[in-house]
């Protein structure tokens, strides 16, 4: 898969029951599948974004949002659990009934979480990649070597910051933050 496979977009809608407010926008990701950086992870994310396997990110929520500085730690916004919506589920496009639930191995742990806007896999430990991902809202060097970096936000960092504003110290979102449409551009 090459960079010519296209960037990925998420259209985001944020609905707050508390304030009756609705906001949103578009995030565009460049995936690191050129030059062999993280081709399998990028392919999985792109195909989950297009829904070509009959499942994916469309109409899913960001289930964990840890904003700004909490106890001197900057962190992320997390989504991709379209099976449970709680951070305990997910599926990959590489599912095999004989495998470990479609999890796939880490393929590149050398790219760094060195700035806001890094797109990385959220996992339960080594070699447990499926569909969950996070976007950093600041440098997160303690994640280096532990999570596969496979892309970055190239448009819509203002939307990521908007999502971040609905986070909490516990990570529980203060609003419904939903991917209403996604695909390639």
């Amino acid at each position: 898969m090459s960079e010519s496979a296209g960037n990925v977009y998420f259209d985001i809608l944020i609905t707050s029951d508390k304030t009756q407010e609705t906001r949103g926008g578009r995030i565009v990701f460049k995936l690191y599948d050129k030059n062999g950086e993280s081709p399998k992870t990028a392919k999985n994310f792109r195909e989950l974004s297009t829904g070509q396997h009959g499942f994916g990110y469309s109409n899913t929520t960001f289930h964990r949002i840890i904003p700004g500085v909490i106890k001197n730690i900057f962190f992320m916004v997390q989504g991709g659990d379209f099976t449970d919506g709680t951070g305990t589920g997910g599926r990959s496009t590489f599912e095999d009934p004989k495998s470990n639930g479609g999890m796939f191995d880490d393929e590149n742990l050398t790219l760094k979480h060195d700035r806001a806007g890094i797109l990385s896999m959220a996992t339960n430990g080594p070699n447990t990649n499926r569909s969950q991902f996070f976007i950093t809202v600041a440098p997160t060097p303690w994640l280096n070597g532990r999570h596969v970096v496979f892309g970055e936000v190239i448009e819509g960092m203002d939307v990521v910051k908007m999502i971040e504003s609905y986070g909490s110290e516990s990570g529980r979102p203060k609003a419904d933050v939903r991917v209403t449409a996604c695909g390639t551009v």
Side-chain angles (χ1 to χ4, degrees):
M1 175 111 3
S2 69
E3 190 174 24
S4 64
N7 295 326
V8 169
Y9 76 91
F10 280 6
D11 285 340
I12 304 295
L13 181 64
I14 302 169
T15 307
S16 173
D17 290 336
K18 185 175 183 179
T19 64
Q20 302 302 307
E21 180 179 51
T22 301
R23 302 168 71 186
R26 177 171 278 195
I27 303 170
V28 178
F29 303 99
K30 172 186 174 186
L31 302 185
Y32 297 160
D33 48 5
K34 187 175 181 183
N35 302 323
E37 293 163 313
S38 300
K40 188 171 187 177
T41 309
K43 178 180 192 255
N44 182 63
F45 187 80
R46 184 177 285 110
E47 290 180 4
L48 290 171
S49 296
T50 64
Q52 69 189 60
H53 297 276
F55 56 90
Y57 296 132
S58 185
N59 201 34
T60 63
T61 62
F62 282 81
H63 60 271
R64 185 174 185 214
I65 304 170
I66 302 176
V69 180
I70 302 289
K71 298 179 183 170
N72 295 319
I73 296 175
F74 293 93
F75 206 33
M76 54 74 191
V77 299
Q78 183 176 335
D81 179 0
F82 50 80
T83 59
D84 298 333
T86 62
T88 60
R91 293 173 68 182
S92 81
T93 60
F94 305 112
E95 287 192 342
D96 176 348
K98 298 174 188 166
S99 75
N100 57 355
M103 294 180 194
F104 61 97
D105 290 349
D106 299 330
E107 64 181 337
N108 184 343
L109 294 173
T110 60
L111 298 174
K112 306 295 183 202
H113 299 85
D114 58 0
R115 62 191 180 280
I118 293 296
L119 180 61
S120 187
M121 292 303 289
T123 64
N124 296 343
N127 303 315
T128 59
N129 298 286
R130 290 190 293 182
S131 57
Q132 290 193 49
F133 64 89
F134 61 88
I135 306 165
T136 60
V137 296
T140 53
W142 62 91
L143 299 176
N144 293 341
R146 297 174 58 194
H147 296 271
V148 175
V149 171
F150 66 97
E152 66 183 275
V153 174
I154 59 170
E155 292 176 33
M157 197 60 200
D158 59 323
V159 179
V160 174
K161 290 302 209 176
M162 187 187 316
I163 293 169
E164 178 190 11
S165 74
Y166 289 93
S168 66
E169 186 171 340
S170 70
R172 183 178 180 159
K174 296 177 184 174
D176 183 78
V177 181
R178 188 166 299 274
V179 177
T180 58
C182 51
T184 57
V185 291

